[in-house]
């Protein structure tokens, strides 16, 4: 007899590992993302009802895929019947000539060719969702939610907006797909480069969400990190000549190389200077270095190559106090020219503090505060608190730590900030 707890655990695990795969397979049947999402949700609900009675299947994700696809085929059949029985309800120009109305076509069809171009289900669906008709933020948010199963609240934290605002954005994006009759069609090989920027951003955001979870008890969500690494490797195989693809894979590898040392045995967050560098994954760092070197050849480097180069300098330093901070500041300056992001500017402030001291870094941070775009970003007050503490301004540092705590949803990070506040004697 399977207990309710075992079923809930199995369904949760299948959701973490398989949501995107189940949705991708179902969407190929429906060619309608809304209907596919509904069918997948129904399949997971059916698991919660059926698995306590029948037991957890040996291949839960396969079971969910089969169940969702069956529901999808039923929905497609109903739609076909409606179209055949009620043709007069449609005006002649309401349905585009190339609108897909059924499941995957026969061998040799356009869909078959697309499968050959992008053979992985999940990566194929990411390319599909990154449609140029949608705003980039909508592409990223919708893909993270639908394909990667990231919660709306966590996506909202990443984009520094409220959950209701993010939910409304995704609703508008899905509505646009429907009203604009954007067909379920994976782009051809010639179209892939036009969508690459958004696909890279999706994989990077997926990794970031796993590297430091926006919410929850654990600092890390290994399932999302490994999913992002897998997607980055597949993208490299698909587009081996794209320098920014190499850069993204290098960035993920060198950042994840520290995974085993980011928290101690009790789950306490460890700062970079506290981590045991002998336990870092040197093979991953070496692979990243090679990707960076080849990616720097042939012209001005892009965003991901530069980020990877910065992360590599941190990783290759023999010790924290031997980090090449001036070179890191130089790379951040270059990065800001190709990607003028306030988050990049904030990260640069940390490097500036190591070169020129906390006073100059605080001056630059105050300019970012005036900008306002990082008002909901917990790392701005956290960095400010550290700089104030290093400057001997303990009361102001305590105020900044409290603000960071208000904005932080991850319990490991909250514990770290609480500990820093306690060290100031101002819990």
């Amino acid at each position: 007899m399977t207990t309710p707890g075992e079923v809930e655990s199995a369904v949760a695990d299948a959701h973490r590992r398989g949501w995107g795969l189940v949705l991708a397979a179902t969407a190929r049947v429906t060619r309608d993302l809304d209907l596919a999402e509904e069918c997948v949700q129904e399949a997971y609900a059916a698991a919660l009802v059926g698995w306590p009675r029948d037991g957890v299947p040996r291949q839960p994700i396969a079971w969910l895929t089969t169940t969702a696809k069956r529901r999808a085929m039923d929905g497609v059949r109903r739609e076909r019947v409606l179209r055949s029985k009620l043709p007069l309800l449609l005006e002649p120009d309401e349905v585009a000539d190339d609108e897909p109305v059924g499941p995957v076509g026969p061998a040799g069809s356009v869909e078959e060719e697309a499968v050959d171009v992008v053979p992985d289900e999940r990566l194929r669906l990411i390319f599909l969702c990154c449609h140029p008709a949608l705003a980039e933020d909508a592409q990223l948010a919708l893909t993270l939610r639908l394909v990667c199963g990231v919660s709306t609240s966590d996506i909202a934290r990443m984009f520094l907006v409220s959950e209701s605002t993010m939910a409304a954005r995704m609703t508008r994006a899905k509505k646009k797909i429907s009203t604009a009759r954007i067909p379920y069609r994976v782009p051809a090989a010639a179209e892939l480069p036009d969508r690459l920027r958004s696909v890279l951003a999706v994989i990077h955001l997926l990794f970031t969400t796993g590297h430091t979870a926006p919410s929850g008890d654990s600092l890390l969500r290994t399932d999302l990190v490994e999913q992002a690494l897998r997607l980055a490797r597949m993208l490299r195989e698909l587009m081996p000549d794209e320098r920014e693809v190499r850069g993204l894979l290098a960035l993920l590898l060198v950042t994840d190389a520290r995974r085993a040392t980011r928290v101690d045995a009790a789950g306490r967050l460890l700062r970079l200077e506290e981590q045991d560098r002998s336990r870092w994954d040197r093979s991953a760092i070496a692979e990243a270095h090679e990707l960076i070197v080849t990616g720097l050849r042939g012209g001005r480097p892009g965003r991901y190559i530069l980020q990877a180069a910065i992360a590599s300098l941190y990783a290759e330093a023999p010790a924290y106090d031997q980090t090449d901070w001036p070179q890191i500041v130089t790379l951040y300056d270059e990065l800001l020219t190709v990607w003028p992001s306030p988050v990049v500017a904030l990260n640069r402030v940390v490097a500036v503090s190591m070169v020129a001291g906390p006073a100059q870094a605080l001056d630059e941070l105050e300019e970012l505060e005036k900008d306002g775009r990082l008002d909901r970003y917990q790392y701005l007050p956290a960095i400010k608190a550290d700089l104030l503490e290093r400057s001997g301004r303990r009361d102001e540092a305590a105020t900044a730590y409290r603000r960071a705590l208000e904005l932080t949803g991850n319990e490991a990070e909250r514990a770290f900030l609480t500990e820093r506040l306690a060290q100031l004697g101002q819990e």
Side-chain angles (χ1 to χ4, degrees):
M1 182 72 177
T2 307
T3 67
E6 290 172 333
V7 169
E8 289 177 10
S9 177
V11 171
D13 180 66
H15 184 276
R16 284 192 300 270
R17 294 188 300 110
W19 172 269
L21 294 172
V22 178
L23 180 66
T26 307
R28 289 190 65 204
V29 174
T30 63
R31 304 196 180 190
D32 179 315
L33 287 174
D34 261 342
L35 177 58
E37 186 180 19
E38 180 182 326
C39 293
V40 174
Q41 288 171 343
E42 290 176 357
Y44 277 89
L48 288 171
V49 174
W51 291 2
R53 180 187 64 243
D54 305 325
V56 176
R58 283 187 299 176
Q59 295 182 307
I61 294 173
W63 187 98
L64 289 160
T65 302
T66 300
T67 302
K69 288 173 72 173
R70 283 174 179 166
R71 291 173 187 267
M73 287 187 284
D74 288 343
V76 170
R77 290 191 191 101
R78 286 194 299 271
E79 179 69 15
R80 283 175 170 168
V81 169
L82 179 63
R83 291 185 182 214
S84 64
K85 298 295 185 184
L86 303 174
L88 297 179
L89 291 180
L90 294 176
E91 295 295 332
D93 60 350
E94 280 191 312
V95 181
D97 290 340
D98 62 348
E99 182 186 2
V101 297
V104 179
S109 67
V110 173
E111 183 69 22
E112 283 274 328
E113 293 173 9
V115 171
D116 291 338
V117 171
V118 189
D120 178 78
E121 287 273 22
R122 198 181 332 239
L123 186 58
R124 190 159 60 244
L125 189 54
I126 291 173
F127 269 104
L128 176 105
C129 289
C130 291
H131 196 286
L134 301 175
E136 185 172 11
D137 279 2
Q139 294 175 25
L140 303 183
L142 194 62
T143 309
L144 287 167
R145 179 73 193 98
L146 290 179
V147 184
C148 306
V150 180
S151 70
T152 303
S153 61
D154 282 353
I155 295 171
R157 284 183 177 275
M158 281 187 281
F159 283 85
L160 307 180
V161 298
S162 67
E163 184 174 351
S164 59
T165 297
M166 182 50 66
R169 284 185 188 177
M170 287 192 282
T171 298
R172 287 195 298 270
K174 288 194 284 186
K175 184 176 181 181
K176 182 168 185 177
I177 289 173
S178 176
T179 57
R181 295 194 179 277
I182 295 172
Y184 179 89
R185 184 182 66 78
V186 181
E191 299 174 279
L192 297 184
D194 292 335
R195 303 192 186 193
L196 180 60
R197 173 177 168 172
S198 294
V199 172
L200 289 168
V202 165
I203 297 173
H204 183 227
L205 283 171
L206 179 63
F207 176 85
T208 301
T209 307
H211 182 70
T212 303
S215 61
D217 295 332
S218 300
L219 182 68
L220 183 78
R221 277 195 59 182
T222 305
D223 57 313
L224 297 184
V225 168
E226 292 181 350
Q227 186 182 146
L229 281 164
R230 177 174 170 270
L231 287 167
R233 287 197 181 280
M234 286 190 295
L235 192 60
R236 170 89 198 287
E237 292 177 9
L238 180 67
M239 308 177 80
D241 297 328
E242 291 286 349
R243 296 164 67 212
E244 280 292 80
V245 173
R246 297 180 196 176
L248 177 66
L249 178 56
L251 174 60
L252 269 51
L253 285 168
V254 73
T255 304
D256 188 51
R258 299 187 291 109
R259 185 197 302 186
T261 66
R262 293 181 62 224
V263 295
D264 63 16
R268 173 180 167 271
L269 187 154
L270 298 176
R271 290 180 293 177
L272 188 61
E273 57 264 42
E274 298 175 300
Q275 295 174 18
D276 181 358
R277 293 173 181 243
S278 68
R279 296 177 60 205
W280 288 0
D281 186 342
R282 291 296 160 185
S283 63
I285 293 171
E287 182 182 357
H289 178 78
E290 180 62 26
L291 289 165
I292 294 165
V293 170
T294 57
L296 285 171
R297 296 173 186 152
R300 187 178 183 184
R303 158 187 173 181
Y304 295 106
I305 287 287
L306 287 168
Q307 285 180 277
I310 292 168
S312 182
L313 282 174
Y314 284 112
E316 292 177 355
Y320 182 77
D321 59 6
Q322 294 177 265
T323 304
D324 190 347
W325 296 110
Q327 180 62 22
I328 288 175
V329 172
T330 299
L331 287 171
Y332 270 124
D333 289 339
E334 180 68 18
L335 179 58
L336 278 169
T337 66
V338 299
W339 187 36
S341 159
V343 172
V344 172
L346 179 62
N347 290 335
R348 179 184 176 278
V349 163
V350 177
V352 167
S353 76
M354 302 303 293
V355 173
Q360 181 172 326
L362 279 167
D363 289 341
E364 296 190 15
L365 187 141
E366 285 175 11
E367 292 302 313
L368 287 172
E369 286 183 305
K370 293 175 185 177
D371 177 273
R373 285 179 290 172
L374 298 181
D375 285 349
R376 300 173 64 95
Y377 191 56
Q378 69 268 30
Y379 299 117
L380 188 148
I383 290 170
K384 181 178 182 179
D386 179 69
L387 295 174
L388 288 167
E389 185 178 355
R390 287 165 56 190
S391 302
R393 297 158 64 178
R394 296 168 65 85
D395 289 345
E396 293 171 85
T399 299
Y401 277 129
R402 291 189 188 99
R403 176 56 180 162
L405 273 165
E406 291 173 4
L407 296 172
T408 301
N410 181 278
E411 290 304 320
E413 289 190 311
R414 288 184 61 81
F416 170 79
L417 292 169
T418 301
E419 181 182 331
R420 296 300 298 270
L421 193 55
Q423 288 171 356
L424 292 174
Q426 301 191 40
E427 287 184 278

